[in-house]
Amino acid sequence: MDGESSSSSVAISKNRKRWFHIFLYSFFVLSCQATSTILGRLYYQNGGKSKWMGSLLTIIGFPVLVLFRFFSTITQQPQTTTTATTNTNFRNLSSFTTIGSVYIGIGLLVSATCYLSSFGLLYLPVSTFSLICASQLVFTAFFSYILNSQKFTPYIVNSLFLLIISSTLLVFNNESQTAKVSKAKYAIGFLCTVAASATNGLLLSLVQLILRKVLKRNTFSTVTEMVFYQSIVATCALLVGLFASGEWKTLTGEMKSYKLGEVSYVMTLVFTAITWQVYTIGLVGLIFESSSVFCNAITAVGLPIVPILAVVVFHDKMDGIKVISIILAIWGFLSFAYQHYLDDKDLKKNLEGVPNLPLPVSSQDKDDRDNKQQAANSERSIEIDMIPKS
């Protein structure tokens, strides 16, 4: 009786700890998704002009991941030895050139996404920018169809249709005068934001493919290392752009002429970089503590936060078109997440008889079931699906 009571107490304690982590990561995603976008716009709103600096802010805070990895390793000692052994075996079997090329390619794609996004934050109202970024899911599904054999079910098609309509409505929303930019710059900002959503969708699909086919490991340490190394490459690429463009020469004058003062200028840059990385930590943590389905749902819940904050902070105009766009975008996200819930439920039924096998969260992972069963004997891993980012 004492043994059963003790084991029950341990199970309850672990469950409470897990839900605490889920709550914490959800808070990271919801708060930092909005805060980082608002701070990015605040930089441009008050005198910031460097697109390379704006791009760099989204990625340069990657050293925060080192602390996250360190504390996560401490709290997961039983998995540390296995992970280290697995990583060692993996490195012995894998080509350094191949892995290096993967990290460089993904890192350059990340830098391109960040640079394109900076045009959107510079020329568009932040509420419009946030809603256009929702179209990322459309591109993610399209590229996943090509690269990862993603099936287009009725719920997926419904989601894509709603998100396309949501973004298209914003084309007819004449905000160039409100944003105090010319129509040409407004159009550039719109197109660059769409392009950033497209490259981000390609990025997420490539990451999923790389984890399944190249790295062949979807463990916590593998994903964290991949994010860390690609961030180093992206940061180096953006720094080269900053110095090659000559924009670094204007930063001192930019700081002195910043409307909120020099201290506020530095604090804006620092907190923007930190919040972007905390947002990334929240996404990765949610996927490993729960699933990508839950992560998608949390992101959908956070979608209206940025436009609402933009109305309060920057006095963005919230007209009927934007309200309809927000509703359609949320509907599209939820439809997409519900399809993945059905996939997860279906796979759970099919895998009930397989011991110690982690449950993937997307339909294309059925083909990898045999590979997953071999890996399950050494380490329990959770499949990465998609990480939507505004």
Side-chain angles (χ1 to χ4, degrees), residues 201-273:
L202 174 61
L203 172 67
L204 296 174
S205 299
L206 285 174
V207 167
Q208 186 179 1
L209 178 67
I210 290 166
L211 287 171
R212 294 171 57 239
K213 300 298 184 181
V214 180
L215 300 180
K216 298 180 181 179
R217 281 288 168 185
N218 299 321
T219 61
F220 183 85
S221 59
T222 302
V223 176
T224 306
E225 287 179 6
M226 185 176 185
V227 173
F228 180 79
Y229 290 127
Q230 74 185 31
S231 297
I232 292 177
V233 175
T235 299
C236 292
L238 292 173
L239 283 173
V240 170
L242 177 65
F243 285 98
S245 66
E247 286 188 1
W248 65 275
K249 298 177 182 178
T250 65
L251 295 181
T252 302
E254 185 178 277
M255 180 174 64
K256 292 180 179 179
S257 61
Y258 196 66
K259 294 179 182 180
L260 300 179
E262 296 182 15
V263 175
S264 296
Y265 177 84
V266 175
M267 296 300 290
T268 300
L269 299 185
V270 170
F271 280 107
T272 302

Side-chain angles (χ1 to χ4, degrees), residues 139-363:
F139 295 106
T140 303
F142 172 74
F143 288 118
S144 290
Y145 173 78
I146 297 175
L147 299 175
N148 299 311
S149 302
Q150 171 74 47
K151 295 181 179 179
F152 278 2
T153 65
Y155 287 108
I156 295 293
V157 173
N158 177 64
S159 172
L160 302 185
F161 176 76
L162 292 171
L163 290 170
I164 290 173
I165 296 299
S166 173
S167 297
T168 304
L169 284 175
L170 297 175
V171 176
F172 303 100
N173 195 16
N174 187 12
E175 292 182 307
S176 59
Q177 294 180 351
T178 304
K180 297 180 180 179
V181 297
S182 65
K183 291 185 177 181
K185 289 183 177 180
Y186 186 90
I188 291 173
F190 189 96
L191 293 175
C192 285
T193 304
V194 173
S197 298
T199 55
N200 205 31
L202 174 61
L203 172 67
L204 296 174
S205 299
L206 285 174
V207 167
Q208 186 179 1
L209 178 67
I210 290 166
L211 287 171
R212 294 171 57 239
K213 300 298 184 181
V214 180
L215 300 180
K216 298 180 181 179
R217 281 288 168 185
N218 299 321
T219 61
F220 183 85
S221 59
T222 302
V223 176
T224 306
E225 287 179 6
M226 185 176 185
V227 173
F228 180 79
Y229 290 127
Q230 74 185 31
S231 297
I232 292 177
V233 175
T235 299
C236 292
L238 292 173
L239 283 173
V240 170
L242 177 65
F243 285 98
S245 66
E247 286 188 1
W248 65 275
K249 298 177 182 178
T250 65
L251 295 181
T252 302
E254 185 178 277
M255 180 174 64
K256 292 180 179 179
S257 61
Y258 196 66
K259 294 179 182 180
L260 300 179
E262 296 182 15
V263 175
S264 296
Y265 177 84
V266 175
M267 296 300 290
T268 300
L269 299 185
V270 170
F271 280 107
T272 302
I274 292 176
T275 51
W276 271 122
Q277 292 309 309
V278 175
Y279 169 78
T280 302
I281 289 173
L283 288 176
V284 175
L286 274 181
I287 289 172
F288 281 95
E289 290 289 349
S290 181
S291 68
S292 61
V293 177
F294 186 75
C295 186
N296 279 334
I298 291 297
T299 306
V301 170
L303 182 65
I305 296 178
V306 175
I308 293 173
L309 286 178
V311 172
V312 176
V313 178
F314 301 116
H315 306 292
D316 280 8
K317 183 180 178 182
M318 183 60 69
D319 53 19
I321 292 180
K322 277 191 180 179
V323 172
I324 295 174
S325 180
I326 290 175
I327 294 173
L328 291 177
I330 294 175
W331 187 2
F333 265 114
L334 293 178
S335 179
F336 193 90
Y338 183 68
Q339 178 58 55
H340 282 289
Y341 165 76
L342 295 178
D343 289 342
D344 188 51
K345 187 176 181 180
D346 180 60
L347 286 173
K348 187 175 181 180
K349 289 181 180 179
N350 294 335
L351 300 175
E352 281 180 350
V354 183
N356 299 324
L357 184 60
L359 296 178
V361 295
S362 57
S363 57

Side-chain angles (χ1 to χ4, degrees), residues 3 6 10-11 24 66 72 80 95 97 100 104-105 137 139 148 158 164 173-175 197 207 230 310 358 379:
S6 177
V10 171
L24 184 63
V66 176
S72 299
T80 303
S95 169
T97 303
I104 291 174
L137 195 57
F139 295 106
N148 299 311
N158 177 64
I164 290 173
N173 195 16
N174 187 12
E175 292 182 307
S197 298
V207 167
Q230 74 185 31
E379 181 175 7

